[in-house]
Amino acid sequence: MEALMKRATTWSGIGLLMLTILYLIFPQKILLSLVLTFLVTFYQLGMRLVVGNVIEPRLKLDQDCRWFRVTAGEQRLYRLLKVRKWKSFLPTYSPEKYDLRRRSLPQLIQTMIAAEFDHELMFILTYLPLILIVPFGDPAIFISTSVIVSLIELPFIILQRYNRARLQRLLRRRERRQRMK
């Protein structure tokens, strides 16, 4: 998944560069539309690479922080959304990070907290291209793409919170058993 994301980002960047040069030579509206499309695509893909590969490794997040607590109401919502049935269909960017044979339960929980934060940050940063409305106009394109792409982040946020709550319960049970021995 990571290699695919890097290739897609690279190709969208190359497309952006080529189309920008073409637009500078032949300033046509259709070329401007293509430049903006490739610009937003390059931004959306590149931003995700930066968040996941540059920002996430530097994060020191507290798993006891109130933001990361999953409430009972939230768990009811996840049952209503039937997360258990669809969660396995979502791709994993770095599957090795979630391998219980390589990582302890506390490490895995910390990884899930970082991944949740990543997706929440990406959700917010997805709306940054809205500033392009000012110089280029055409708000419908920028608003619709930002909304659609941000909605892609929601299942990943839900998945991290759903799975982490389950693993935290498992960890608490293990710790109780250890204390009873």
Side-chain angles (χ1 to χ4, degrees):
M1 182 61 116
E2 185 175 351
L4 175 65
M5 183 84 135
K6 287 178 180 177
R7 273 195 307 270
T9 305
T10 300
W11 283 109
S12 66
I14 292 168
L16 172 61
L17 183 62
M18 291 171 56
L19 287 165
T20 301
I21 291 168
L22 272 175
Y23 176 71
L24 292 173
I25 297 169
F26 309 105
Q28 300 295 313
K29 187 159 175 60
I30 185 76
L31 285 175
L32 179 59
S33 295
L34 288 170
V35 166
L36 293 176
T37 300
F38 273 77
L39 175 64
V40 171
T41 302
F42 178 69
Y43 167 75
Q44 293 292 353
L45 293 170
M47 173 267 292
R48 281 163 174 73
L49 284 174
V50 169
V51 168
N53 296 309
V54 177
I55 296 174
E56 181 188 323
R58 290 167 174 73
L59 292 175
K60 303 290 183 245
L61 299 169
D62 179 12
Q63 69 177 340
D64 296 324
C65 173
R66 189 177 156 109
W67 182 261
F68 297 114
R69 290 191 201 135
V70 179
T71 66
E74 204 176 331
Q75 290 176 346
R76 283 190 298 276
L77 174 63
Y78 298 155
R79 281 191 296 278
L80 183 69
L81 292 173
K82 300 184 187 311
V83 174
R84 190 173 183 188
K85 291 187 182 216
W86 54 259
K87 68 181 189 135
S88 62
F89 295 104
L90 291 179
T92 303
Y93 182 72
S94 299
E96 67 279 355
K97 287 182 177 181
Y98 299 92
D99 188 350
L100 262 172
R101 294 175 302 234
R102 293 184 187 169
R103 306 193 94 146
S104 69
L105 210 45
Q107 287 173 324
L108 189 55
I109 290 168
Q110 194 63 41
T111 297
M112 293 172 133
I113 286 171
E116 176 193 333
F117 182 81
D118 281 1
H119 287 289
E120 290 165 344
L121 182 58
M122 289 181 231
F123 180 90
I124 293 165
L125 292 175
T126 294
Y127 288 93
L128 195 58
L130 293 180
I131 62 174
L132 296 175
I133 293 171
V134 175
F136 296 108
D138 225 347
I141 291 172
F142 292 109
I143 292 170
S144 62
T145 56
S146 289
V147 168
I148 290 166
V149 175
S150 72
L151 292 176
I152 291 170
E153 295 303 329
L154 288 179
F156 293 97
I157 295 167
I158 289 169
L159 176 67
Q160 293 301 330
R161 294 182 69 81
Y162 172 82
N163 282 335
R164 187 177 67 250
R166 293 174 57 228
L167 291 179
Q168 286 171 324
R169 281 192 304 272
L170 176 63
L171 182 61
R172 282 192 297 272
R173 275 183 279 180
R174 281 186 182 176
E175 288 171 347
R176 261 186 260 132
R177 277 190 224 130
Q178 288 292 335
R179 284 192 302 264
M180 294 173 92
K181 287 184 179 181

